[in-house]
PDB file of all heavy atoms in Angstrom:
ATOM      1  N   LEU A 100      -9.227 -10.572  -7.583  1.00  0.00           N
ATOM      2  CA  LEU A 100     -10.517 -10.484  -6.911  1.00  0.00           C
ATOM      3  C   LEU A 100     -10.905 -11.836  -6.319  1.00  0.00           C
ATOM      4  O   LEU A 100     -11.403 -11.920  -5.188  1.00  0.00           O
ATOM      5  CB  LEU A 100     -11.584 -10.005  -7.889  1.00  0.00           C
ATOM      6  CG  LEU A 100     -12.932  -9.601  -7.301  1.00  0.00           C
ATOM      7  CD1 LEU A 100     -12.779  -8.501  -6.263  1.00  0.00           C
ATOM      8  CD2 LEU A 100     -13.877  -9.166  -8.403  1.00  0.00           C
ATOM      9  N   ALA A 101     -10.651 -12.916  -7.051  1.00  0.00           N
ATOM     10  CA  ALA A 101     -10.934 -14.254  -6.533  1.00  0.00           C
ATOM     11  C   ALA A 101     -10.074 -14.567  -5.315  1.00  0.00           C
ATOM     12  O   ALA A 101     -10.536 -15.203  -4.352  1.00  0.00           O
ATOM     13  CB  ALA A 101     -10.706 -15.298  -7.624  1.00  0.00           C
ATOM     14  N   GLU A 102      -8.824 -14.107  -5.326  1.00  0.00           N
ATOM     15  CA  GLU A 102      -7.951 -14.338  -4.175  1.00  0.00           C
ATOM     16  C   GLU A 102      -8.437 -13.552  -2.960  1.00  0.00           C
ATOM     17  O   GLU A 102      -8.404 -14.049  -1.827  1.00  0.00           O
ATOM     18  CB  GLU A 102      -6.517 -13.957  -4.526  1.00  0.00           C
ATOM     19  CG  GLU A 102      -5.502 -14.167  -3.411  1.00  0.00           C
ATOM     20  CD  GLU A 102      -5.342 -15.615  -2.981  1.00  0.00           C
ATOM     21  OE1 GLU A 102      -6.017 -16.512  -3.518  1.00  0.00           O
ATOM     22  OE2 GLU A 102      -4.529 -15.848  -2.068  1.00  0.00           O
ATOM     23  N   ALA A 103      -8.914 -12.335  -3.186  1.00  0.00           N
ATOM     24  CA  ALA A 103      -9.477 -11.565  -2.079  1.00  0.00           C
ATOM     25  C   ALA A 103     -10.680 -12.284  -1.482  1.00  0.00           C
ATOM     26  O   ALA A 103     -10.808 -12.401  -0.252  1.00  0.00           O
ATOM     27  CB  ALA A 103      -9.870 -10.171  -2.561  1.00  0.00           C
ATOM     28  N   ASP A 104     -11.565 -12.788  -2.328  1.00  0.00           N
ATOM     29  CA  ASP A 104     -12.733 -13.518  -1.829  1.00  0.00           C
ATOM     30  C   ASP A 104     -12.324 -14.795  -1.091  1.00  0.00           C
ATOM     31  O   ASP A 104     -12.983 -15.204  -0.129  1.00  0.00           O
ATOM     32  CB  ASP A 104     -13.673 -13.868  -2.981  1.00  0.00           C
ATOM     33  CG  ASP A 104     -14.513 -12.679  -3.437  1.00  0.00           C
ATOM     34  OD1 ASP A 104     -14.550 -11.664  -2.718  1.00  0.00           O
ATOM     35  OD2 ASP A 104     -15.141 -12.777  -4.506  1.00  0.00           O
ATOM     36  N   ARG A 105     -11.242 -15.425  -1.527  1.00  0.00           N
ATOM     37  CA  ARG A 105     -10.790 -16.659  -0.863  1.00  0.00           C
ATOM     38  C   ARG A 105     -10.401 -16.410   0.586  1.00  0.00           C
ATOM     39  O   ARG A 105     -10.759 -17.192   1.480  1.00  0.00           O
ATOM     40  CB  ARG A 105      -9.600 -17.261  -1.621  1.00  0.00           C
ATOM     41  CG  ARG A 105      -9.112 -18.595  -1.023  1.00  0.00           C
ATOM     42  CD  ARG A 105      -7.838 -19.078  -1.687  1.00  0.00           C
ATOM     43  NE  ARG A 105      -6.685 -18.277  -1.351  1.00  0.00           N
ATOM     44  CZ  ARG A 105      -5.963 -18.421  -0.226  1.00  0.00           C
ATOM     45  NH1 ARG A 105      -6.304 -19.349   0.675  1.00  0.00           N
ATOM     46  NH2 ARG A 105      -4.923 -17.649   0.018  1.00  0.00           N
ATOM     47  N   VAL A 106      -9.672 -15.313   0.849  1.00  0.00           N
ATOM     48  CA  VAL A 106      -9.146 -15.108   2.205  1.00  0.00           C
ATOM     49  C   VAL A 106     -10.126 -14.364   3.111  1.00  0.00           C
ATOM     50  O   VAL A 106      -9.981 -14.402   4.335  1.00  0.00           O
ATOM     51  CB  VAL A 106      -7.785 -14.371   2.171  1.00  0.00           C
ATOM     52  CG1 VAL A 106      -6.788 -15.152   1.333  1.00  0.00           C
ATOM     53  CG2 VAL A 106      -7.929 -12.946   1.676  1.00  0.00           C
ATOM     54  N   LEU A 107     -11.139 -13.704   2.515  1.00  0.00           N
ATOM     55  CA  LEU A 107     -12.104 -12.975   3.351  1.00  0.00           C
ATOM     56  C   LEU A 107     -13.078 -13.937   4.038  1.00  0.00           C
ATOM     57  O   LEU A 107     -13.474 -14.956   3.475  1.00  0.00           O
ATOM     58  CB  LEU A 107     -12.901 -11.986   2.497  1.00  0.00           C
ATOM     59  CG  LEU A 107     -12.195 -10.684   2.112  1.00  0.00           C
ATOM     60  CD1 LEU A 107     -13.012  -9.940   1.067  1.00  0.00           C
ATOM     61  CD2 LEU A 107     -11.944  -9.799   3.330  1.00  0.00           C
ATOM     62  N   ARG A 108     -13.470 -13.568   5.227  1.00  0.00           N
ATOM     63  CA  ARG A 108     -14.533 -14.281   5.921  1.00  0.00           C
ATOM     64  C   ARG A 108     -15.884 -13.934   5.277  1.00  0.00           C
ATOM     65  O   ARG A 108     -15.988 -12.949   4.551  1.00  0.00           O
ATOM     66  CB  ARG A 108     -14.550 -13.884   7.402  1.00  0.00           C
ATOM     67  CG  ARG A 108     -13.288 -14.327   8.139  1.00  0.00           C
ATOM     68  CD  ARG A 108     -13.332 -14.007   9.621  1.00  0.00           C
ATOM     69  NE  ARG A 108     -12.193 -14.596  10.288  1.00  0.00           N
ATOM     70  CZ  ARG A 108     -11.260 -13.921  10.954  1.00  0.00           C
ATOM     71  NH1 ARG A 108     -11.358 -12.611  11.073  1.00  0.00           N
ATOM     72  NH2 ARG A 108     -10.246 -14.558  11.513  1.00  0.00           N
ATOM     73  N   PRO A 109     -16.915 -14.725   5.538  1.00  0.00           N
ATOM     74  CA  PRO A 109     -18.250 -14.325   5.060  1.00  0.00           C
ATOM     75  C   PRO A 109     -18.560 -12.908   5.546  1.00  0.00           C
ATOM     76  O   PRO A 109     -18.301 -12.570   6.702  1.00  0.00           O
ATOM     77  CB  PRO A 109     -19.174 -15.368   5.707  1.00  0.00           C
ATOM     78  CG  PRO A 109     -18.310 -16.569   5.885  1.00  0.00           C
ATOM     79  CD  PRO A 109     -16.935 -16.038   6.236  1.00  0.00           C
ATOM     80  N   ASP A 110     -19.087 -12.103   4.672  1.00  0.00           N
ATOM     81  CA  ASP A 110     -19.365 -10.688   4.934  1.00  0.00           C
ATOM     82  C   ASP A 110     -18.102  -9.851   5.106  1.00  0.00           C
ATOM     83  O   ASP A 110     -18.176  -8.698   5.546  1.00  0.00           O
ATOM     84  CB  ASP A 110     -20.272 -10.505   6.157  1.00  0.00           C
ATOM     85  CG  ASP A 110     -21.637 -11.144   5.958  1.00  0.00           C
ATOM     86  OD1 ASP A 110     -22.135 -11.110   4.815  1.00  0.00           O
ATOM     87  OD2 ASP A 110     -22.192 -11.686   6.930  1.00  0.00           O
ATOM     88  N   GLY A 111     -16.926 -10.429   4.768  1.00  0.00           N
ATOM     89  CA  GLY A 111     -15.694  -9.647   4.789  1.00  0.00           C
ATOM     90  C   GLY A 111     -15.734  -8.547   3.747  1.00  0.00           C
ATOM     91  O   GLY A 111     -16.486  -8.596   2.763  1.00  0.00           O
ATOM     92  N   ARG A 112     -14.904  -7.537   3.948  1.00  0.00           N
ATOM     93  CA  ARG A 112     -14.974  -6.328   3.114  1.00  0.00           C
ATOM     94  C   ARG A 112     -13.650  -6.066   2.400  1.00  0.00           C
ATOM     95  O   ARG A 112     -12.570  -6.192   2.988  1.00  0.00           O
ATOM     96  CB  ARG A 112     -15.319  -5.132   3.991  1.00  0.00           C
ATOM     97  CG  ARG A 112     -16.673  -5.255   4.687  1.00  0.00           C
ATOM     98  CD  ARG A 112     -17.817  -4.950   3.754  1.00  0.00           C
ATOM     99  NE  ARG A 112     -17.915  -3.519   3.535  1.00  0.00           N
ATOM    100  CZ  ARG A 112     -18.518  -2.974   2.483  1.00  0.00           C
ATOM    101  NH1 ARG A 112     -19.042  -3.733   1.526  1.00  0.00           N
ATOM    102  NH2 ARG A 112     -18.594  -1.657   2.380  1.00  0.00           N
ATOM    103  N   LEU A 113     -13.755  -5.667   1.131  1.00  0.00           N
ATOM    104  CA  LEU A 113     -12.619  -5.259   0.320  1.00  0.00           C
ATOM    105  C   LEU A 113     -12.757  -3.773   0.025  1.00  0.00           C
ATOM    106  O   LEU A 113     -13.765  -3.334  -0.539  1.00  0.00           O
ATOM    107  CB  LEU A 113     -12.593  -6.061  -0.979  1.00  0.00           C
ATOM    108  CG  LEU A 113     -11.575  -5.643  -2.042  1.00  0.00           C
ATOM    109  CD1 LEU A 113     -10.149  -5.681  -1.498  1.00  0.00           C
ATOM    110  CD2 LEU A 113     -11.703  -6.542  -3.277  1.00  0.00           C
ATOM    111  N   LEU A 114     -11.741  -2.996   0.412  1.00  0.00           N
ATOM    112  CA  LEU A 114     -11.739  -1.541   0.239  1.00  0.00           C
ATOM    113  C   LEU A 114     -10.561  -1.160  -0.645  1.00  0.00           C
ATOM    114  O   LEU A 114      -9.408  -1.474  -0.326  1.00  0.00           O
ATOM    115  CB  LEU A 114     -11.606  -0.833   1.592  1.00  0.00           C
ATOM    116  CG  LEU A 114     -12.525  -1.294   2.724  1.00  0.00           C
ATOM    117  CD1 LEU A 114     -12.202  -0.526   4.005  1.00  0.00           C
ATOM    118  CD2 LEU A 114     -13.984  -1.132   2.346  1.00  0.00           C
ATOM    119  N   VAL A 115     -10.845  -0.486  -1.743  1.00  0.00           N
ATOM    120  CA  VAL A 115      -9.811  -0.100  -2.702  1.00  0.00           C
ATOM    121  C   VAL A 115      -9.859   1.407  -2.894  1.00  0.00           C
ATOM    122  O   VAL A 115     -10.909   1.960  -3.256  1.00  0.00           O
ATOM    123  CB  VAL A 115     -10.012  -0.817  -4.057  1.00  0.00           C
ATOM    124  CG1 VAL A 115      -8.955  -0.366  -5.057  1.00  0.00           C
ATOM    125  CG2 VAL A 115      -9.970  -2.339  -3.871  1.00  0.00           C
ATOM    126  N   VAL A 116      -8.726   2.069  -2.673  1.00  0.00           N
ATOM    127  CA  VAL A 116      -8.645   3.527  -2.729  1.00  0.00           C
ATOM    128  C   VAL A 116      -7.861   3.962  -3.962  1.00  0.00           C
ATOM    129  O   VAL A 116      -6.738   3.486  -4.202  1.00  0.00           O
ATOM    130  CB  VAL A 116      -7.969   4.086  -1.460  1.00  0.00           C
ATOM    131  CG1 VAL A 116      -7.753   5.593  -1.579  1.00  0.00           C
ATOM    132  CG2 VAL A 116      -8.790   3.754  -0.230  1.00  0.00           C
ATOM    133  N   HIS A 117      -8.458   4.859  -4.738  1.00  0.00           N
ATOM    134  CA  HIS A 117      -7.774   5.488  -5.873  1.00  0.00           C
ATOM    135  C   HIS A 117      -8.247   6.934  -5.984  1.00  0.00           C
ATOM    136  O   HIS A 117      -9.277   7.317  -5.419  1.00  0.00           O
ATOM    137  CB  HIS A 117      -8.076   4.759  -7.181  1.00  0.00           C
ATOM    138  CG  HIS A 117      -7.394   3.439  -7.308  1.00  0.00           C
ATOM    139  ND1 HIS A 117      -6.023   3.298  -7.323  1.00  0.00           N
ATOM    140  CD2 HIS A 117      -7.897   2.167  -7.428  1.00  0.00           C
ATOM    141  CE1 HIS A 117      -5.714   2.016  -7.456  1.00  0.00           C
ATOM    142  NE2 HIS A 117      -6.820   1.316  -7.517  1.00  0.00           N
ATOM    143  N   ASP A 118      -7.510   7.722  -6.751  1.00  0.00           N
ATOM    144  CA  ASP A 118      -7.980   9.066  -7.058  1.00  0.00           C
ATOM    145  C   ASP A 118      -9.305   8.992  -7.812  1.00  0.00           C
ATOM    146  O   ASP A 118      -9.556   8.049  -8.564  1.00  0.00           O
ATOM    147  CB  ASP A 118      -6.956   9.807  -7.912  1.00  0.00           C
ATOM    148  CG  ASP A 118      -5.856  10.441  -7.092  1.00  0.00           C
ATOM    149  OD1 ASP A 118      -5.814  10.203  -5.884  1.00  0.00           O
ATOM    150  OD2 ASP A 118      -5.036  11.170  -7.681  1.00  0.00           O
ATOM    151  N   TYR A 119     -10.121  10.022  -7.629  1.00  0.00           N
ATOM    152  CA  TYR A 119     -11.400  10.115  -8.318  1.00  0.00           C
ATOM    153  C   TYR A 119     -11.387  11.190  -9.399  1.00  0.00           C
ATOM    154  O   TYR A 119     -12.072  11.089 -10.400  1.00  0.00           O
ATOM    155  CB  TYR A 119     -12.505  10.417  -7.299  1.00  0.00           C
ATOM    156  CG  TYR A 119     -13.895  10.516  -7.877  1.00  0.00           C
ATOM    157  CD1 TYR A 119     -14.558   9.381  -8.343  1.00  0.00           C
ATOM    158  CD2 TYR A 119     -14.546  11.745  -7.948  1.00  0.00           C
ATOM    159  CE1 TYR A 119     -15.844   9.471  -8.869  1.00  0.00           C
ATOM    160  CE2 TYR A 119     -15.829  11.838  -8.470  1.00  0.00           C
ATOM    161  CZ  TYR A 119     -16.473  10.696  -8.919  1.00  0.00           C
ATOM    162  OH  TYR A 119     -17.743  10.788  -9.442  1.00  0.00           O
ATOM    163  N   GLY A 120     -10.596  12.243  -9.182  1.00  0.00           N
ATOM    164  CA  GLY A 120     -10.542  13.328 -10.152  1.00  0.00           C
ATOM    165  C   GLY A 120     -11.572  14.400  -9.876  1.00  0.00           C
ATOM    166  O   GLY A 120     -12.131  14.491  -8.789  1.00  0.00           O
ATOM    167  N   ARG A 121     -11.825  15.263 -10.900  1.00  0.00           N
ATOM    168  CA  ARG A 121     -12.769  16.362 -10.779  1.00  0.00           C
ATOM    169  C   ARG A 121     -12.329  17.310  -9.646  1.00  0.00           C
ATOM    170  O   ARG A 121     -13.133  17.764  -8.841  1.00  0.00           O
ATOM    171  CB  ARG A 121     -14.186  15.855 -10.547  1.00  0.00           C
ATOM    172  CG  ARG A 121     -14.675  14.885 -11.635  1.00  0.00           C
ATOM    173  CD  ARG A 121     -15.612  13.850 -11.036  1.00  0.00           C
ATOM    174  NE  ARG A 121     -16.167  12.924 -12.014  1.00  0.00           N
ATOM    175  CZ  ARG A 121     -15.620  11.758 -12.342  1.00  0.00           C
ATOM    176  NH1 ARG A 121     -14.458  11.380 -11.800  1.00  0.00           N
ATOM    177  NH2 ARG A 121     -16.195  10.962 -13.221  1.00  0.00           N
ATOM    178  N   ASP A 122     -11.018  17.551  -9.574  1.00  0.00           N
ATOM    179  CA  ASP A 122     -10.430  18.311  -8.478  1.00  0.00           C
ATOM    180  C   ASP A 122      -9.167  19.013  -8.957  1.00  0.00           C
ATOM    181  O   ASP A 122      -8.796  18.929 -10.127  1.00  0.00           O
ATOM    182  CB  ASP A 122     -10.122  17.382  -7.291  1.00  0.00           C
ATOM    183  CG  ASP A 122      -9.184  16.222  -7.660  1.00  0.00           C
ATOM    184  OD1 ASP A 122      -8.611  16.251  -8.777  1.00  0.00           O
ATOM    185  OD2 ASP A 122      -9.021  15.304  -6.853  1.00  0.00           O
ATOM    186  N   ASP A 123      -8.486  19.711  -8.023  1.00  0.00           N
ATOM    187  CA  ASP A 123      -7.237  20.383  -8.377  1.00  0.00           C
ATOM    188  C   ASP A 123      -6.139  19.393  -8.751  1.00  0.00           C
ATOM    189  O   ASP A 123      -5.351  19.635  -9.668  1.00  0.00           O
ATOM    190  CB  ASP A 123      -6.745  21.247  -7.211  1.00  0.00           C
ATOM    191  CG  ASP A 123      -7.630  22.443  -6.935  1.00  0.00           C
ATOM    192  OD1 ASP A 123      -8.338  22.900  -7.865  1.00  0.00           O
ATOM    193  OD2 ASP A 123      -7.634  22.929  -5.785  1.00  0.00           O
TER     194      ASP A 123
END
Side-chain angles (χ1 to χ4, degrees):
L100 191 57
E102 181 63 359
D104 282 347
R105 183 187 71 82
V106 303
L107 282 170
R108 295 183 173 120
D110 298 325
R112 299 282 284 158
L113 172 58
L114 312 177
V115 178
V116 174
H117 287 298
D118 277 7
Y119 181 71
R121 304 147 177 91
D122 57 11
D123 292 335

